Structures are given as structure tokens and as C-alpha cells.
Amino acid sequence: MKKKKLNLRDLNKTSSDNHKRNDGHNQSNLEKLGNFRTYLPAIFSFVMLIAGIAFDYFDAFPFFKGWVRIAWYAVAYIPVGFPVIKEGWESIKDGDFFTEFFLMSIATLGAFAIGEYPEGVAVMLFYAVGELFQNAAVKRAKGNIKALLDVRPNEAMVYRNGDYVSVNPETVQIGEKIQVRVGEKIPLDGKLLSEKASVNTAAITGESKPDTIAKGEKVFAGSINLDGVIEIETTKEFKDSSIARILDMVQNATARKSKTELFIRKFARIYTPIVVFLAVCLTFLPYFFVDGYVFQDWLYRALIFLVISCPCALVISIPLGYFGGLGAASRNGILFKGASFLDAVTQVNTVVMDKTGTVTHGVFKIKNAVVNNGALSEAEMMKYLMAMEEQSTHPIAKAILEYKADGSHYGATNVSEVAGKGLKGMVNGKTVLVGNKALMTSNGIEVPSKTDAIVESIVMVAIDGKFAGYVTIADELKEDAHLAIKQIRDAGISKIIMLSGDKDSITQQVAKELNIDWAKGGLLPEDKLDEVETLKKRPDSKIAFIGDGINDAPVLAISDVGIAMGGLGSDVAIETADVIIQTDQPSKIARAIKIGRSTRRIVWQNIGLAFGVKIIVMILGAMGMATMWEAVFADVGVAFLAILNAIRLQKMKWD
């Protein structure tokens, strides 16, 4: 049971709320008590085993003989042995004979049958302890994944019947107005009605830097309001909010097994009956080939063989490694839709990326303002330009209007649009033309030839029939774009390609600036699809495509690994891509590859460790050179080391 979490508002509530807090505290104590009870059978068996071994060793207790000794070790065995035997019996009833529970039951009961009581108890005790460690580690790994995104608020203050009332977020409808106080989580996706808001999106993106949201902009469920009471109009139901869908995706990711995981599970089902058959052969076949055959000696060797062959270390530590990888990625703002994609990303050798929204912000900005021959100042020219652009709704006009001009603003009159060319109007009694070169030429205005070499979008200005200057408009590179390309190369990716719907000249310029191997612009979504399909036909080609998750959905779907710059609300990204970069930072691409490789490396280390140790001890046991004590310590030790190795993923850093 989860302890109730409190926010600042809870501190001022009534004694009824205090009672609830006490209930939460009591629940926490009950949880701790439950955890202790889980370990109690193993503790009891351990104490009984140590006492029994002491009685045997010191030989100072004459009563510890015969049936008393057998009963003592039987009592020590039952708390840890009975659950395993029961589980084995249930599996047999379900038609699954050869499980690790069956192996451990046969091995330990066999040890009792030949009089090796302490070893029988020890084998089952250490197996039970190993299972407890494994279950605790898996629980922690799953808990870490869930805790990363389990930030769904449990209440929403919604405006109904003239007042704000607290309701379950699932009951809030689209278009209703909600209020969020300082320190509270935003319960649903919506648009901000207040003038501004400062929110912490760390629970969703992994980035702790606060974001400032302006009136009318989107806000997302799971973010924390940092400054003042804000009001929001909901745009999605709770079940469709970005945080609810992302949480569902991450939880379901653990169900999508990797090929390695699926192989090991299938292998264990074949491997276990083979081991049982070999143990039977090891018991009886020596009768025909060995002089002085002693059944009890060879049975003991077979029991050692069974103990060490138990596949539990493999079956548990491998999924635990993938849990660790998924959790580590989520903490870094990277969501893998399944363990299979952790494997797939390690095989990528070609990265294909979109431009707009992937390595650029997708927002126009003034890059340069140039005045012709000093006819007037830059600020003066910009005032004329801004006066005209105030009459336009074009995205380029919005970028121009962000220019900070000192002094009073000019006003434009008689503004008319010249289709496909620009605007014509009057400012301060002067005729002003604003637009492309075609507009200037059609009005007999001479344009400097140097403008022909400009690849960015260009807006020219003419005042009273004379060329006044121009501004260039460009989409800004993301702050970490250069770093992203460098890190992708450092990660061993041999080829980086850019495919964009933007003008080819702009695409080539961006590709050159970022040192990208090959680029092509002016592409429609279907053109991008054709290009990637052509690349996939190359032998040994494994392609990751990175896009914004909207126009690039078809390419994301057919790539070996589709990586979406999902941001905080891209529905198409969540639906289509295999991997989602929540922060929209391209530098996270290389980190995703590194996390996948670290996960795969640890999984294969565990496989090698488990098989290596088991084969050595199995051979030694069959030759009579290892006892059951060594077998159980080798088995439990391997499992424990594999768990510790898998847990390392949750502590690693990838810079």
C-alpha cells in the first residue's frame, strides 16, 4: 500500500485530514511489517540451520541424534521448502513439469533421502534468499519505472455552479475551467487562461528547468505550478492527457520482451528437461562402467548437478537488466516502447533525421537586417517594415514583429497584398513595398545582386521607389544540435542523413553547418518514405529515423527504430514512434543509443557469468570434486552477482 502524499494545502486542513494522514502513516508501518514477515521464514530457517550445524559440530548434545536430528532439520526446511514444493506441484498440475521449483524440490528432498540434512536445508534456504533478493530487485526496478511517471494528480479544482469544487480528474470534461494552486500538479492538459505561469515539467521531461507559459499556450498534466494561482481551460479528457498516455506506454513497455529475453525463456524450457535427464543418467549409467559403484555417491553428484543447473539466475536477471534500462532511459527523458527497442537501437548504423523540429526549433527568427548604402538606420527601416507586417498573418510577419525597435512605432495605411509577392501600402506618407525580389522587379526597383546568393527566406523593403534594405529570416538551430551530431558520431554511427520538406538550399546549408554526410530538401512525406525505403534495401542497413512525430509518421513507422521528438503533447509521436525524446533535445539520441548498448552489455555479461560458472561447477560436481555446499553458493552467488550487475544500470550516467 502506498503512503499518502501531502501537499502544502494539506497542512491547513481539519482534524479529519490529520486522521487521514495518520492512516497513511499506519499504512506505511503495515507495509514495513509486511516486508518483515516476507523475510521471517528465511530468518527462522537460518537460525535453525546454524543451531543444527552447531549441535552436529560440537557433538556435545547427545539428544541431537536419530529422529530428533531429522525432525530438527525438517522443521528448519519446511518454512522455506514448502512454498517451493507447492509451487512446483502447482506447475506440474498445469502441465509444466520442468521448472526451477521442480529442480530445487528434487535436489533438496534427495539430499534428505541420502541423509545430507544440513545441505538439503541450506540449498533450499539459499535458494529462497536468492528469490527474495531477486523479487526485491525486480520490484524496485518496476517501482522506479512507475515512480518516474506516476505523477497523475488525484484531484482537480473545477469551476461548477459558480464555485471551484474538488473532483476526480477523470470526471472533468473538455472545455471546463480548472484552478491550480502553487505547488500543485496540473491535473489535465489544457490552455492557460491566466496571463502567465511558471511550471516544472521535470516529472514528464526529466528536465528540472522551469518553463514560462504565456496566456493561450498549452499546459500539460503532471507539470507542477510554481508561481501563483492559475486557471486553465481543459482541452483533453484525463484518459487522453499526455501524462496518462505516456505512463500507460511505459508500463506496457515491460511487456514487450526483447529477442534475448524471449530466447532465454524458450531456452530454459528446453534446457531444464535436458538437465533432469542428464542427472538421471549421472545417477544410473556409472553402474555399467565404474568399478565399486555406490548408488548414494552418484545420486549425490546428480543432486549437485540439479542444484547448479537451476536457470533462475538467467530467468530473473535478464528481464531485470531490461527493467533497469527502461527506467534509466525514462529518467533521462527518453521513453522506449519496449525492451525490444533497447536491443534494436544498439544495431543502428545509419541515422536519418528531419530538419524542422528535430535539429531546429521550427520557429522563424530574424537572422540579419541589412540597410542599403546607409540610406537610413536599421531601426528606421525596421519601423517601416514592422508597420507593414502588422497587417499580415504570415509566420514570417510574426518573426519580424518580435524585433525590438526603440522609439515610437509607425502606422501603415492602404495596405494591400500582392499575390505571391508581398505587401504594398503607405507609411508616414511614403509608398512602401515589402516582399520578395519579384515584387521589387515588377515595380522597377533595382535589387543588389548579392541578394541572389542568400539561401534563407528574405524580405526586401523599398521606400518611395528606392531599395531600402532587407532582412533574412531563418529557423534557428537547437542549442544542442552541433553536440547531438558529434555525439551520434562518437557513438559509432557511420552515416548521418538529413531529409527535409524545407527548401533544398536551406537544407543543404543546415547540413553543411552541422557536418551531416548527405542531405536532401523539398521533400513531401511520401518522398521521405521513398528515400528511407531505398536506404533500407542496402545490405546490413539498420536505420533510425528521427522526426517530429507529425508529418514524419509514415517514415517513423517503417524505420528499424523510429525516434520522435515528442515534446509534451505530440499524439502522433506517442502512437507511431518506437522511442520518444520527451525534451525535444536531439542530443538525447546518442544517449538513447548508449543506454541501449549498456543494457545489452549487462544482459550478456549476466548470461556469460551464469553459464560460465554453472558449466564449471556442473563438471566438478559430476567428477565428485564439488559438494552441494559449493553448488548452492555458486548458484545463489551467480544470481546475486547478476542482480547487482543489472541494478548498476539504475545508477549509471551517460553524458
Side-chain angles (χ1 to χ4, degrees):
M1 299 176 73
K2 289 184 75 174
K3 183 177 178 179
K4 186 183 176 186
K5 295 181 179 178
L6 303 177
N7 55 37
L8 296 175
R9 189 161 43 85
D10 289 321
L11 299 176
N12 297 320
K13 286 192 175 180
T14 62
S15 59
S16 173
D17 295 311
N18 292 330
H19 178 69
K20 290 179 182 178
R21 289 200 296 273
N22 291 335
D23 285 346
H25 182 69
N26 292 336
Q27 288 172 2
S28 179
N29 288 335
L30 287 172
E31 185 178 345
K32 291 177 181 177
L33 181 60
N35 289 338
F36 175 75
R37 286 176 176 170
T38 302
Y39 291 95
L40 195 57
I43 294 171
F44 175 81
S45 291
F46 177 74
V47 172
M48 292 288 289
L49 175 62
I50 294 299
I53 291 172
F55 293 158
D56 280 337
Y57 181 78
F58 292 109
D59 201 23
F61 303 93
F63 72 89
F64 198 68
K65 304 286 184 186
W67 286 106
V68 173
R69 183 170 181 265
I70 295 172
W72 183 278
Y73 283 117
V75 171
Y77 178 86
I78 289 171
V80 289
F82 178 74
V84 176
I85 294 172
K86 181 182 177 183
E87 196 72 40
W89 176 245
E90 293 294 333
S91 297
I92 290 172
K93 286 200 298 184
D94 292 338
D96 191 4
F97 285 83
F98 300 106
T99 63
E100 64 253 37
F101 308 111
F102 175 76
L103 287 181
M104 299 311 295
S105 300
I106 294 296
T108 53
L109 292 175
F112 266 76
I114 61 175
E116 300 290 348
Y117 311 122
E119 295 187 15
V121 175
V123 167
M124 192 59 82
L125 171 62
F126 287 115
Y127 173 75
V129 170
E131 287 293 299
L132 289 172
F133 277 128
Q134 290 165 359
N135 291 337
V138 170
K139 184 179 179 182
R140 179 184 175 188
K142 286 184 176 179
N144 284 345
I145 291 173
K146 188 176 180 182
L148 290 166
L149 292 171
D150 196 9
V151 293
R152 294 169 297 183
N154 53 19
E155 68 172 352
M157 298 296 293
V158 62
Y159 190 76
R160 291 175 180 170
N161 301 321
D163 195 12
Y164 283 100
V165 293
S166 177
V167 300
N168 188 311
E170 295 183 10
T171 66
V172 179
Q173 301 299 311
I174 294 173
E176 289 197 278
K177 184 165 68 173
I178 59 174
Q179 185 184 77
V180 184
R181 284 167 269 194
V182 178
E184 293 182 341
K185 296 167 187 170
I186 296 172
L188 298 105
D189 290 359
K191 65 178 180 180
L192 186 66
L193 297 177
S194 304
E195 287 301 317
K196 66 175 183 177
S198 179
V199 297
N200 184 339
T201 60
I204 309 171
T205 65
E207 298 295 319
S208 58
K209 185 178 73 172
D211 286 337
T212 300
I213 310 296
K215 184 176 181 178
E217 292 184 340
K218 293 180 180 179
V219 289
F220 298 95
S223 305
I224 298 174
N225 179 28
L226 299 177
D227 185 20
V229 177
I230 60 173
E231 293 181 339
I232 297 165
E233 180 184 320
T234 60
T235 55
K236 290 183 181 179
E237 293 182 4
F238 180 77
K239 62 183 175 64
D240 296 323
S241 66
S242 53
I243 189 63
R245 298 182 70 185
I246 292 171
L247 176 59
D248 180 65
M249 184 194 72
V250 174
Q251 287 178 315
N252 290 335
T254 59
R256 295 186 176 98
K257 306 298 183 185
S258 70
K259 290 182 180 179
T260 308
E261 225 174 325
L262 293 172
F263 169 75
I264 289 297
R265 289 187 177 275
K266 291 178 181 177
F267 174 80
R269 293 190 174 277
I270 299 169
Y271 160 86
T272 306
I274 291 174
V275 162
V276 173
F277 174 74
L278 291 175
V280 171
C281 292
L282 186 61
T283 306
F284 296 106
L285 284 183
Y287 173 81
F288 302 101
F289 305 103
V290 176
D291 294 331
Y293 170 83
V294 178
F295 172 77
Q296 185 169 318
D297 291 345
W298 287 99
L299 176 60
Y300 183 69
R301 294 187 187 189
L303 295 176
I304 294 170
F305 194 84
L306 286 177
V307 170
I308 193 58
S309 65
C310 181
C312 56
L314 285 170
V315 173
I316 294 294
S317 65
I318 290 170
L320 183 59
Y322 286 109
F323 283 139
L326 291 169
S330 297
R331 278 198 306 279
N332 282 273
I334 303 165
L335 299 182
F336 283 86
K337 280 192 175 179
S340 57
F341 302 117
L342 274 168
D343 273 349
V345 80
T346 66
Q347 300 168 21
V348 167
N349 51 32
T350 302
V351 167
V352 183
M353 60 177 60
D354 180 37
K355 179 184 74 69
T356 307
T358 300
V359 294
T360 67
H361 287 290
V363 178
F364 286 115
K365 296 284 185 183
I366 294 176
K367 185 175 181 181
N368 202 9
V370 178
V371 178
N372 186 41
N373 296 326
L376 69 170
S377 69
E378 177 185 314
E380 187 76 6
M381 183 191 75
M382 290 303 298
K383 287 181 182 180
Y384 279 97
L385 176 57
M386 292 168 69
M388 295 290 290
E389 293 292 2
E390 281 179 349
Q391 311 299 314
S392 174
T393 58
H394 194 279
I396 287 180
K398 183 179 178 182
I400 290 171
L401 293 175
E402 289 181 357
Y403 183 89
K404 305 298 181 184
D406 296 332
S408 60
H409 291 279
Y410 296 161
T413 58
N414 301 325
V415 177
S416 60
E417 183 176 351
V418 182
K421 296 180 181 180
L423 302 171
K424 182 178 182 180
M426 299 294 293
V427 179
N428 288 350
K430 297 179 181 181
T431 302
V432 179
L433 298 173
V434 169
N436 56 25
K437 186 176 180 179
L439 178 66
M440 301 292 126
T441 303
S442 64
N443 283 273
I445 296 169
E446 186 177 347
V447 177
S449 58
K450 64 180 181 180
T451 59
D452 294 336
I454 297 172
V455 297
E456 295 94 350
S457 297
I458 184 170
V459 179
M460 299 180 180
V461 182
I463 301 174
D464 279 346
K466 293 182 180 179
F467 186 77
Y470 62 89
V471 295
T472 55
I473 308 293
D475 187 4
E476 280 188 320
L477 285 174
K478 290 183 178 179
E479 293 76 8
D480 62 337
H482 287 91
L483 177 65
I485 301 302
K486 179 181 181 301
Q487 289 181 339
I488 290 171
R489 292 199 186 281
D490 291 344
I493 301 302
S494 59
K495 196 169 189 64
I496 304 176
I497 295 169
M498 178 178 286
L499 301 176
S500 176
D502 205 346
K503 288 195 306 184
D504 187 61
S505 58
I506 294 176
T507 302
Q508 297 298 339
Q509 184 186 44
V510 172
K512 183 178 180 181
E513 187 175 349
L514 292 176
N515 193 29
I516 288 173
D517 299 318
W518 184 76
K520 190 172 183 179
L523 301 175
L524 296 172
E526 53 267 33
D527 299 326
K528 291 184 184 179
L529 191 65
D530 291 340
E531 292 288 345
V532 172
E533 285 180 335
T534 300
L535 289 169
K536 286 189 70 175
K537 292 176 183 177
R538 297 179 181 177
D540 303 322
S541 179
K542 294 293 181 182
I543 294 173
F545 181 85
I546 303 102
D548 62 9
I550 301 170
N551 298 326
D552 299 317
V555 198
L556 287 168
I558 65 113
S559 302
D560 296 298
V561 180
I563 303 176
M565 292 292 163
L568 288 177
S570 177
D571 292 340
V572 178
I574 292 174
E575 295 296 335
T576 310
D578 306 315
V579 184
I580 297 170
I581 308 295
Q582 291 175 266
T583 59
D584 276 353
Q585 293 174 291
S587 56
K588 293 289 181 76
I589 298 165
R591 192 171 300 182
I593 294 171
K594 290 176 183 177
I595 290 172
R597 288 176 179 171
S598 295
T599 303
R600 189 170 178 82
R601 184 164 55 248
I602 280 179
V603 165
W604 280 102
Q605 284 172 358
N606 285 349
I607 292 172
L609 175 69
F611 276 119
V613 173
K614 284 179 182 294
I615 289 171
I616 291 170
V617 179
M618 285 166 74
I619 293 170
L620 292 175
M623 296 171 63
M625 298 171 67
T627 67
M628 196 173 287
W629 287 100
E630 290 159 338
V632 71
F633 278 118
D635 181 55
V636 175
V638 166
F640 188 64
L641 288 174
I643 291 168
L644 291 178
N645 195 32
I647 289 174
R648 282 198 305 128
L649 275 167
Q650 300 171 36
K651 304 292 183 183
M652 283 184 178
K653 303 289 183 184
W654 296 270
D655 296 321

